[in-house]
Amino acid sequence: MRAVRVACVQNDPAFGVRDANLDAAEALLEGVEADVVVLPELFASGYSFRDRAEAEAAAEPFPDGPTVRRLLAWSRRRGAAFVAGFPERAGSRVHNAAAVVADGRPLACYRKVHLFAFEREVFDAGEDGFPVVEHRGVRVGTMVCFDWIFPEAARSLALAGADLIAHPSNLVLPWCQRAMPLRALENGVFTVTANRVGTEHRSPRPVLRFTGGSLVAGPDGSVLAQASADGTAVVVAEVDVLRARDKRLPGGNDRLADRRPHCYGAPTAPSKDA
Amino acid sequence: MRAVRVACVQNDPAFGVRDANLDAAEALLEGVEADVVVLPELFASGYSFRDRAEAEAAAEPFPDGPTVRRLLAWSRRRGAAFVAGFPERAGSRVHNAAAVVADGRPLACYRKVHLFAFEREVFDAGEDGFPVVEHRGVRVGTMVCFDWIFPEAARSLALAGADLIAHPSNLVLPWCQRAMPLRALENGVFTVTANRVGTEHRSPRPVLRFTGGSLVAGPDGSVLAQASADGTAVVVAEVDVLRARDKRLPGGNDRLADRRPHCYGAPTAPSKDA
């Protein structure tokens, strides 16, 4: 299998001006050639919804809304897969979602399982787990932003066969960029964290400063490409997907097969003798 | 609750000379005052057993063997808890184990669940999960070395109520010292990784170089104390156990209560519409 090119887009959207943000993202993508493109969480809507009504007003159905239609067009033109965050309306529910599309076709809509902070006031939590889709031989899993701190999220994707975890983000806490190489290592996968930069201040919510540093990490815990903490950017890395299919570590252990689930969870009583 | 002093011992044992290694560890402990003391994996026996027979010959019962008796004496004299690795014989089984003792009493014997590399040839894997014991108000959980790479190990301990994860180790891979602050962060616990230094070359096994860098990490992902990569050392940190009882992150999420287990594991089919 040839190397797969992944692109990680770091944008700087303004709140509430979706079409301008889509145009700016399209400009960032100019000249980028990649098989898999990851954009941030809520990359075209902005993040700090004041309340549920504001989120509902911005939300769109999947796949027939303006943001996803644009993603579909980009993916058709490039023959690429795109993973990007948008606010999804699904009946009476509103989700912090990520669209997964490829070659002009909708493949999956991930609904964020672990809502962060005030997101719990404006979105409904996803109930459908973490999807894995295949695009040209690469199995792409999706999780969004704060999902990273729960190791179960990336683990669920690895156990479902993901080679690469697309990770649209709007990071404001200080840890994720340092943590993702470990998530890649412990699961033997590639990770693509697309974060945004800039600030939002939508009173009465606090000022949020987004921390950039978008990165691609490899199954050996290395950082393959990383954007700076400031400014828009597109970073690209070539990844050998076969490296994500061999879970062995030096010494021969298999990161997934050597799990011992019957030993997890509530421990048994301490064993004091034979 | 007063601050709890934890000590992390980094020793340099020679293979097969248990009593000399115990004496050397006792010398390292001279003048150390701590409530919880963690020593490395197999800290008195050495690590690179050539075969099962050699491990069986070195193994001792719990708690009535020479290594554990010495730990019991140290713990009685200091009023401290000790967690330290030793080869355990239990009937016909031989485990890479860690003794947990306090105030001269045996509390638990942890049998390593995830055996690394050649360990699988000489030890039996533990089947009893990950124990948590209480000593003077601190809930001490135990895992050993390679268990770190499986996030399920530290997670199991946190879910069982551990404030602090004692982590006797003989590290030869390059990642663990960088990863433990994340294990502490994602679970909201303190971690105490006691690693060894030095080399072992027991033909036909390869030369093993142990990487030191023993460390104490805090629930905010910080490194509270760390030894160098070379040389014996005892590093001490004072920890506020109450910080491990409050799992909230900035923004208000709870690292354990906000887990969503029904969304983990095999994902459902991709949701393409409402």
Side-chain angles (χ1 to χ4, degrees):
Chain A
M1 183 190 288
R2 70 185 172 80
V4 168
R5 282 174 68 84
V6 300
C8 185
V9 180
Q10 179 165 297
N11 74 339
D12 183 9
F15 187 90
V17 290
R18 184 192 62 217
D19 292 345
N21 293 330
L22 288 169
D23 292 343
E26 186 162 310
L28 276 174
L29 287 165
E30 191 75 37
V32 172
E33 290 184 18
D35 304 288
V36 179
V37 180
V38 184
L39 289 129
E41 181 181 19
L42 299 170
F43 81 103
S45 61
Y47 180 71
S48 294
F49 294 102
R50 283 208 174 98
D51 52 33
R52 170 100 183 175
E54 203 175 59
E56 278 175 353
E60 16 180 316
F62 178 85
D64 196 23
T67 301
V68 179
R69 279 197 298 265
R70 190 79 79 100
L71 293 168
L72 288 165
W74 294 342
S75 75
R76 188 182 308 113
R77 193 180 316 146
R78 292 159 191 276
F82 276 72
V83 182
F86 75 106
E88 184 208 10
R89 191 184 323 122
S92 62
R93 290 169 294 145
V94 180
H95 293 286
N96 183 343
V100 186
V101 306
D103 294 327
R105 292 174 299 115
L107 297 184
C109 179
Y110 166 65
R111 296 163 174 170
K112 189 174 183 179
V113 164
H114 302 100
L115 296 175
F116 175 65
F118 78 88
E119 295 174 26
R120 294 171 289 182
E121 302 163 24
V122 302
F123 291 114
D124 297 293
E127 301 293 342
D128 304 325
F130 301 88
V132 178
V133 303
E134 186 153 338
H135 172 66
R136 302 197 176 170
V138 188
R139 299 190 290 239
V140 177
T142 299
M143 64 184 197
V144 167
C145 201
F146 187 59
D147 286 329
W148 77 264
I149 208 168
F150 298 89
E152 293 89 347
R155 187 63 119 197
S156 295
L157 288 167
L159 290 171
D163 301 313
L164 181 153
I165 294 178
H167 183 215
S169 297
N170 271 194
L171 296 163
V172 295
L173 298 182
W175 299 295
C176 177
Q177 291 91 339
R178 187 157 50 99
M180 290 310 294
L182 177 63
R183 292 283 176 256
L185 172 71
E186 69 196 19
N187 291 298
V189 297
F190 295 91
T191 62
V192 186
T193 299
N195 191 21
R196 60 166 288 186
V197 295
T199 59
E200 285 187 9
H201 188 195
R202 306 205 64 253
S203 171
R205 299 211 183 282
V207 177
L208 293 179
R209 201 182 85 70
F210 302 97
T211 56
S214 298
L215 75 157
V216 181
D220 62 352
S222 61
V223 175
L224 301 175
Q226 184 157 27
S228 73
D230 300 291
T232 61
V234 180
V235 295
V236 174
E238 294 215 342
V239 308
D240 175 359
V241 171
L242 292 180
R243 288 180 56 211
R245 302 274 166 99
D246 181 352
K247 303 298 186 188
R248 282 175 301 178
L249 291 165
N253 288 88
D254 184 299
R255 279 165 274 197
L256 295 188
D258 289 351
R259 294 169 68 250
R260 308 195 68 225
H262 67 287
C263 294
Y264 306 149
T268 59
S271 60
K272 293 197 185 176
D273 49 44
Chain B
M1 183 190 288
R2 69 186 173 79
V4 168
R5 282 174 67 85
V6 299
C8 185
V9 180
Q10 179 164 296
N11 74 338
D12 183 8
F15 187 91
V17 291
R18 185 191 61 218
D19 292 345
N21 292 330
L22 287 169
D23 292 342
E26 185 163 311
L28 276 174
L29 287 165
E30 190 75 36
V32 172
E33 290 184 17
D35 303 289
V36 179
V37 180
V38 184
L39 290 130
E41 181 181 18
L42 299 170
F43 82 102
S45 62
Y47 180 71
S48 295
F49 294 103
R50 283 207 174 98
D51 54 32
R52 170 101 184 173
E54 203 175 58
E56 276 175 354
E60 17 178 316
F62 177 85
D64 196 24
T67 301
V68 179
R69 279 197 298 264
R70 190 80 79 102
L71 293 168
L72 288 165
W74 294 342
S75 74
R76 188 182 307 112
R77 193 180 317 147
R78 292 159 190 275
F82 276 72
V83 182
F86 75 106
E88 184 208 12
R89 191 183 323 121
S92 62
R93 290 169 294 146
V94 179
H95 294 286
N96 183 344
V100 185
V101 306
D103 294 326
R105 291 174 299 117
L107 297 184
C109 180
Y110 167 64
R111 296 162 174 170
K112 190 175 183 179
V113 163
H114 304 100
L115 297 175
F116 175 65
F118 78 88
E119 296 173 26
R120 294 171 289 184
E121 302 163 23
V122 303
F123 292 114
D124 298 293
E127 302 292 342
D128 304 325
F130 301 88
V132 177
V133 304
E134 187 155 337
H135 172 65
R136 302 197 176 172
V138 188
R139 298 191 290 239
V140 177
T142 298
M143 64 184 196
V144 167
C145 201
F146 187 59
D147 286 328
W148 77 265
I149 207 167
F150 299 88
E152 294 89 346
R155 188 61 118 200
S156 296
L157 288 168
L159 289 172
D163 301 312
L164 181 155
I165 294 178
H167 183 215
S169 296
N170 272 193
L171 295 163
V172 296
L173 299 181
W175 299 295
C176 177
Q177 291 91 339
R178 185 157 52 98
M180 290 311 294
L182 178 63
R183 292 282 177 257
L185 172 71
E186 70 198 17
N187 291 297
V189 297
F190 296 90
T191 62
V192 186
T193 299
N195 190 22
R196 61 164 286 186
V197 295
T199 59
E200 285 187 9
H201 188 194
R202 307 204 63 253
S203 170
R205 301 211 182 281
V207 176
L208 293 179
R209 202 183 84 71
F210 303 95
T211 56
S214 298
L215 76 158
V216 181
D220 61 354
S222 62
V223 175
L224 301 175
Q226 184 158 27
S228 72
D230 302 290
T232 61
V234 180
V235 295
V236 174
E238 293 214 341
V239 308
D240 175 0
V241 171
L242 293 180
R243 288 180 57 210
R245 303 273 166 101
D246 181 352
K247 302 298 186 188
R248 283 175 300 178
L249 291 165
N253 288 89
D254 183 299
R255 279 166 273 198
L256 296 187
D258 289 352
R259 295 169 68 248
R260 308 195 67 225
H262 68 287
C263 294
Y264 306 148
T268 59
S271 58
K272 293 197 185 176
D273 48 44

